Amino acid sequence: MHDERALAALIDDQFGLTVKIQSVVLPMSDVSRTAQATVVLDRTGELLAYITARAIMTLGDVKRLVRRMGLRPERFVPPKHQPNYFDDVATEKFQAVFPGMKVTSPDDLIYYRTLVPYNPALVVISEVKRGEIYQFDPDARGGYRVGARLHYKRSEAI
């Protein structure tokens, strides 16, 4: 219970998102050699993945980790008080490479968004593929093994 409150306070402090944790689906588990993730179910029915790493982690890294965990992301929550964080940093990176060019469409930033630093990361999950959440295990075939089982697919409100 103490860890759940600490995690909820951490999420509120870093991302400005008030979370009331109903249950911890996957406690702090390795998802790569340097990253760990906690997957929680909130009382409103949202599934969230909180990912931290001891090394530099980018949005592209987070996308890859989430996919390897068997999760389908709905959205990546930007840091607190920075709603356009991913676009702002991607624009800076784009203009560092092409100083004379202006960003004319969001398509110009697709690649540069993947280079945006994102540690820690908070991902809202839309689906758990095949009902299994994987965690890193260097001894397992393919490098991942089942860490938790949960059948979850976020339903769209009509």
Side-chain angles (χ1 to χ4, degrees):
M1 187 66 151
H2 177 69
D3 291 340
E4 293 173 10
R5 281 192 222 151
L7 180 61
L10 204 60
I11 290 171
D12 186 37
D13 183 51
Q14 294 172 339
F15 298 97
L17 189 67
T18 303
V19 176
K20 294 188 182 191
I21 297 173
Q22 177 180 330
S23 64
V24 176
V25 178
L26 182 71
M28 194 58 88
S29 301
D30 290 338
V31 290
S32 76
R33 292 196 187 278
T34 62
Q36 292 185 319
T38 299
V39 178
V40 297
L41 187 62
D42 146 329
R43 290 189 184 160
T44 62
E46 277 191 333
L47 190 66
L48 304 165
Y50 179 80
I51 304 170
T52 60
R54 293 182 305 273
I56 296 171
M57 188 167 62
T58 64
L59 181 59
D61 297 331
V62 172
K63 287 180 178 182
R64 190 169 27 279
L65 289 174
V66 168
R67 189 177 62 246
R68 287 181 182 165
M69 290 174 67
L71 305 173
R72 181 168 286 133
E74 181 176 315
R75 68 185 172 97
F76 299 91
V77 181
K80 188 175 187 177
H81 304 302
Q82 298 178 31
N84 299 320
Y85 173 73
F86 300 114
D87 288 338
D88 292 346
V89 176
T91 300
E92 289 173 17
K93 290 187 176 295
F94 176 86
Q95 290 181 337
V97 174
F98 304 107
M101 291 182 63
K102 299 271 187 218
V103 176
T104 58
S105 75
D107 293 340
D108 293 343
L109 299 178
I110 290 174
Y111 171 71
Y112 295 95
R113 274 190 204 100
T114 64
L115 304 176
V116 173
Y118 194 37
N119 187 13
L122 183 65
V123 185
V124 177
I125 306 299
S126 67
E127 179 182 4
V128 176
K129 301 175 195 171
R130 297 181 303 277
E132 298 175 333
I133 302 173
Y134 296 93
Q135 67 184 42
F136 182 70
D137 184 357
D139 297 330
R141 186 175 185 188
Y144 284 82
R145 67 175 169 84
V146 176
R149 296 183 194 283
L150 175 72
H151 292 282
Y152 178 86
K153 186 169 185 178
R154 188 175 171 117
S155 59
E156 296 296 322
I158 298 176

